[in-house]
Amino acid sequence: MRISDYLRKETISLNLKATGKEAAIKELGNLICKAKEMKSYEKFLKDVLEREKINTTGIGDGVAIPHARTDAVTGFVIAFGKSEEGVEFNSLDGKKARLLFLMGTPEKAGLDEYLVLLAHLTRLLKEESFRSSLFGAESPAGIINVFKNCEK
C-alpha cells in the first residue's frame, strides 16, 4: 500500500491560502468533497474537527496530518496542501505546518490498512530530504512523483 496510489492531481493544492487550522482543514476538504468515496462531506468535516479537538495532528517539522475514521467515507481519501506562510496547528514543536495531509477512512473497515498508511506517511515525513522534495515540487504531478520515487 502506497500513498501515491491514493493521491490525485485534483486533491493537491500547492498554495493553501488558509492560516488557521479549521480553515485549512476546510480548504483541503474542498479538494476531496466530490470524491467517489465521500458519502457526507459535512459529517466528514465534523468528524475531522472533533478528532482534532482530542489531540493535535500537527506532528512537527512543519507537518500536520488531520484525519478521522468516519462512516462519512466508503474508502480511503487523502488531500495534500502546501502552505508558504504556514498554518497554526498547535504542533508539538510549536512550528507552523507547511505540509498538510487530510485523510479519512471508513470507521468500521480498513483500520489495519489505514494505520499502515498513516505510519508509512509519518515515517516518510520524518525525513528532511523527503519534506524538501515536497516543498520543491512545482505541480501536483510533481508531488505524486516524489511519493512514487520514495515508494518504489
Side-chain angles (χ1 to χ4, degrees):
M1 292 186 56
R2 302 176 312 201
I3 299 294
S4 59
D5 292 337
Y6 298 96
L7 280 173
R8 305 285 174 260
K9 291 176 187 173
E10 61 273 10
T11 65
I12 296 172
S13 171
L14 299 179
N15 189 20
L16 287 177
K17 303 290 186 219
T19 57
K21 182 190 296 193
E22 186 170 333
I25 290 171
K26 287 178 179 177
E27 189 174 341
L28 286 170
N30 285 333
L31 298 174
I32 56 175
C33 68
K34 291 186 173 41
K36 67 181 182 341
E37 298 87 358
M38 188 67 66
K39 286 180 6 186
S40 171
Y41 174 65
E42 293 77 20
K43 178 161 178 26
F44 172 75
L45 193 59
K46 177 183 171 284
D47 290 346
V48 170
L49 293 172
E50 285 297 317
R51 162 62 185 84
E52 197 63 38
K53 288 179 186 175
I54 295 169
N55 197 9
T56 184
T57 55
I59 63 172
D61 293 323
V63 175
I65 311 174
H67 60 277
R69 290 179 52 220
T70 174
D71 57 12
V73 296
T74 61
F76 182 74
V77 294
I78 184 167
F80 168 76
K82 188 164 53 167
S83 170
E84 290 300 320
E85 186 176 327
V87 177
E88 184 52 58
F89 235 88
N90 302 323
S91 295
L92 300 175
D93 62 1
K95 295 179 183 175
K96 289 184 176 183
R98 297 182 57 216
L99 299 173
L100 294 92
F101 295 84
L102 176 62
M103 300 182 353
T105 198
E107 188 168 20
K108 294 183 172 61
L111 176 59
D112 290 342
E113 293 173 355
Y114 180 62
L115 293 176
V116 167
L117 283 170
L118 187 58
H120 171 61
L121 178 60
T122 302
R123 267 193 310 278
L124 287 174
L125 290 166
K126 290 291 181 192
E127 298 295 325
E128 172 64 35
S129 60
F130 181 76
R131 293 191 312 271
S132 293
S133 293
L134 290 175
F135 279 121
E138 297 180 357
S139 68
I143 294 292
I144 293 169
N145 284 334
V146 169
F147 276 94
K148 283 182 178 178
N149 289 337
C150 289
E151 293 178 320
K152 287 182 179 178

Coordinates of all heavy atoms in Angstrom, one line a residue, residues 16-25 49 52 56-60 62-66 83-100:
L16 N -2.0 26.7 -0.4 CA -3.1 26.9 0.5 C -3.1 28.3 1.0 O -2.1 28.9 1.3 CB -2.8 26.0 1.8 CG -3.1 24.5 1.6 CD1 -2.8 23.7 2.9 CD2 -4.5 24.2 1.1
K17 N -4.3 28.9 1.1 CA -4.5 30.3 1.5 C -4.7 30.4 3.0 O -4.4 31.4 3.6 CB -5.7 30.9 0.7 CG -5.6 30.8 -0.8 CD -4.5 31.7 -1.3 CE -4.5 31.8 -2.8 NZ -3.2 31.8 -3.4
A18 N -5.3 29.3 3.6 CA -5.7 29.4 5.0 C -4.5 29.5 5.9 O -3.4 29.0 5.6 CB -6.5 28.1 5.4
T19 N -4.7 30.3 7.0 CA -3.7 30.4 8.0 C -4.1 29.8 9.3 O -3.2 29.6 10.2 CB -3.3 31.9 8.2 OG1 -4.4 32.6 8.6 CG2 -2.7 32.5 7.0
G20 N -5.3 29.4 9.5 CA -5.8 28.8 10.7 C -6.2 27.3 10.5 O -6.4 26.9 9.3
K21 N -6.1 26.6 11.5 CA -6.4 25.1 11.5 C -7.7 24.7 10.8 O -7.7 24.0 9.8 CB -6.3 24.5 12.9 CG -6.4 23.0 12.9 CD -6.6 22.5 14.3 CE -5.4 22.7 15.2 NZ -5.5 22.0 16.4
E22 N -8.8 25.3 11.3 CA -10.1 24.9 10.8 C -10.3 25.3 9.3 O -10.7 24.5 8.5 CB -11.2 25.5 11.6 CG -12.6 25.0 11.2 CD -13.7 25.4 12.2 OE1 -13.4 25.6 13.4 OE2 -14.8 25.5 11.7
A23 N -9.8 26.5 9.0 CA -9.9 27.0 7.6 C -9.0 26.1 6.7 O -9.5 25.8 5.6 CB -9.5 28.4 7.5
A24 N -7.9 25.7 7.1 CA -7.0 24.8 6.3 C -7.7 23.4 6.1 O -7.6 22.9 5.0 CB -5.6 24.7 7.0
I25 N -8.3 22.9 7.1 CA -9.0 21.6 7.0 C -10.1 21.7 6.0 O -10.3 20.9 5.2 CB -9.4 21.1 8.4 CG1 -8.2 20.7 9.2 CG2 -10.4 20.0 8.2 CD1 -8.5 20.4 10.7
L49 N -12.7 17.6 12.6 CA -12.6 18.7 13.5 C -12.8 18.1 15.0 O -12.1 18.6 15.9 CB -13.6 19.8 13.2 CG -13.3 20.5 11.9 CD1 -14.5 21.5 11.6 CD2 -12.0 21.2 11.9
E52 N -9.6 16.5 15.9 CA -8.6 17.5 16.2 C -8.7 18.1 17.6 O -7.7 18.5 18.1 CB -8.6 18.6 15.1 CG -7.4 19.4 15.0 CD -6.2 18.7 14.5 OE1 -6.3 17.8 13.7 OE2 -5.1 19.0 15.1
T56 N -3.8 17.4 18.9 CA -3.4 18.0 17.7 C -2.8 16.9 16.7 O -2.2 16.0 17.2 CB -2.4 19.1 17.9 OG1 -2.0 19.7 16.7 CG2 -1.1 18.6 18.5
T57 N -3.0 17.1 15.5 CA -2.3 16.3 14.4 C -1.2 17.0 13.8 O -0.7 16.6 12.8 CB -3.4 15.8 13.4 OG1 -4.0 17.0 12.8 CG2 -4.4 14.9 14.0
G58 N -0.8 18.1 14.4 CA 0.5 18.8 14.0 C 1.6 18.0 14.6 O 1.9 18.2 15.8
I59 N 2.3 17.2 13.7 CA 3.3 16.3 14.3 C 4.7 16.9 14.4 O 5.6 16.3 14.9 CB 3.3 15.0 13.4 CG1 3.8 15.3 12.0 CG2 2.0 14.3 13.5 CD1 4.1 14.0 11.2
G60 N 4.8 18.1 13.9 CA 6.1 18.8 14.0 C 6.8 18.8 12.7 O 6.4 18.3 11.7
G62 N 7.0 21.1 10.6 CA 6.2 21.8 9.6 C 5.1 20.9 8.9 O 4.7 21.2 7.8
V63 N 4.7 19.8 9.6 CA 3.8 18.8 9.1 C 2.6 18.7 10.0 O 2.7 18.6 11.2 CB 4.5 17.5 8.9 CG1 3.5 16.4 8.4 CG2 5.7 17.6 7.9
A64 N 1.4 18.6 9.3 CA 0.1 18.2 10.0 C -0.6 17.2 9.2 O -0.6 17.3 8.0 CB -0.7 19.5 10.2
I65 N -1.2 16.3 9.9 CA -2.0 15.2 9.3 C -3.4 15.1 9.9 O -3.6 14.1 10.7 CB -1.2 13.8 9.3 CG1 0.2 14.0 8.9 CG2 -2.0 12.8 8.5 CD1 1.1 12.7 9.0
P66 N -4.2 16.1 9.7 CA -5.6 15.9 10.3 C -6.3 14.7 9.6 O -6.1 14.5 8.4 CB -6.3 17.2 9.9 CG -5.5 17.8 8.8 CD -4.1 17.3 9.0
S83 N 1.7 25.1 2.1 CA 1.5 26.5 2.5 C 2.8 27.2 2.7 O 3.6 26.8 3.5 CB 0.7 26.5 3.9 OG 0.7 27.8 4.4
E84 N 3.0 28.3 2.0 CA 4.2 29.0 2.1 C 4.2 29.8 3.4 O 5.3 29.8 4.1 CB 4.3 30.1 0.9 CG 4.6 29.4 -0.4 CD 5.9 28.6 -0.5 OE1 6.9 29.1 0.1 OE2 5.8 27.6 -1.1
E85 N 3.1 30.3 3.8 CA 3.1 31.1 5.1 C 3.0 30.2 6.3 O 3.5 30.5 7.4 CB 1.8 32.0 5.1 CG 1.8 32.9 6.3 CD 0.6 33.9 6.2 OE1 0.2 34.3 5.1 OE2 0.1 34.2 7.2
G86 N 2.4 29.0 6.2 CA 2.3 28.1 7.3 C 0.9 28.3 8.0 O 0.3 29.3 7.9
V87 N 0.5 27.2 8.6 CA -0.8 27.2 9.3 C -0.6 26.9 10.8 O 0.1 25.9 11.1 CB -1.7 26.1 8.7 CG1 -3.0 26.0 9.4 CG2 -1.9 26.4 7.2
E88 N -1.1 27.7 11.6 CA -1.0 27.5 13.1 C -1.8 26.2 13.4 O -3.0 26.2 13.2 CB -1.5 28.7 13.9 CG -1.4 28.5 15.4 CD 0.1 28.1 15.8 OE1 1.0 28.9 15.4 OE2 0.2 27.1 16.4
F89 N -1.1 25.2 13.9 CA -1.7 23.9 14.1 C -1.5 23.3 15.5 O -1.7 22.1 15.7 CB -1.2 22.9 13.0 CG -2.3 22.2 12.2 CD1 -2.8 22.8 11.1 CD2 -2.9 21.0 12.7 CE1 -3.8 22.2 10.4 CE2 -3.9 20.4 11.9 CZ -4.3 21.0 10.8
N90 N -1.0 24.2 16.4 CA -0.7 23.7 17.7 C 0.3 22.5 17.6 O 0.1 21.5 18.4 CB -1.9 23.4 18.5 CG -2.9 24.5 18.7 OD1 -2.4 25.7 18.8 ND2 -4.2 24.3 18.6
S91 N 1.2 22.6 16.7 CA 2.1 21.5 16.5 C 3.0 21.2 17.8 O 3.2 22.1 18.6 CB 3.1 21.8 15.3 OG 2.3 21.8 14.2
L92 N 3.4 19.9 17.9 CA 4.2 19.5 19.0 C 5.4 20.3 19.2 O 5.9 20.6 20.4 CB 4.5 18.0 18.9 CG 3.3 17.1 18.8 CD1 3.7 15.7 18.6 CD2 2.4 17.2 20.1
D93 N 6.1 20.8 18.1 CA 7.3 21.6 18.2 C 7.0 23.1 18.2 O 8.0 23.9 18.1 CB 8.3 21.1 17.2 CG 7.8 21.4 15.8 OD1 6.7 21.9 15.6 OD2 8.6 21.0 14.8
G94 N 5.8 23.5 18.1 CA 5.4 24.9 18.1 C 5.6 25.6 16.7 O 5.3 26.7 16.5
K95 N 6.0 24.8 15.7 CA 6.2 25.4 14.4 C 4.9 25.3 13.6 O 4.1 24.4 13.8 CB 7.3 24.6 13.6 CG 8.7 24.7 14.2 CD 9.6 23.9 13.3 CE 11.0 24.0 14.0 NZ 12.0 23.1 13.2
K96 N 4.7 26.3 12.7 CA 3.5 26.2 11.8 C 3.7 25.1 10.8 O 4.8 24.7 10.4 CB 3.4 27.5 11.0 CG 3.0 28.7 11.9 CD 2.8 29.9 11.0 CE 2.3 31.1 11.9 NZ 2.0 32.3 11.0
A97 N 2.5 24.5 10.5 CA 2.5 23.4 9.5 C 2.5 24.0 8.1 O 1.8 24.9 7.8 CB 1.2 22.6 9.7
R98 N 3.4 23.5 7.2 CA 3.5 23.9 5.9 C 3.2 22.8 4.9 O 2.9 23.1 3.7 CB 4.9 24.5 5.6 CG 5.2 25.7 6.5 CD 6.6 26.4 6.2 NE 6.7 26.7 4.8 CZ 7.9 26.6 4.2 NH1 8.9 26.2 4.8 NH2 8.0 27.0 2.9
L99 N 3.2 21.6 5.3 CA 2.8 20.4 4.6 C 1.6 19.8 5.3 O 1.8 19.4 6.4 CB 4.0 19.4 4.4 CG 5.2 19.9 3.7 CD1 6.3 18.8 3.8 CD2 5.0 20.2 2.3
L100 N 0.5 19.8 4.7 CA -0.7 19.3 5.3 C -1.4 18.1 4.5 O -1.5 18.3 3.3 CB -1.7 20.4 5.5 CG -1.3 21.5 6.5 CD1 -0.6 22.6 5.7 CD2 -2.5 22.0 7.2

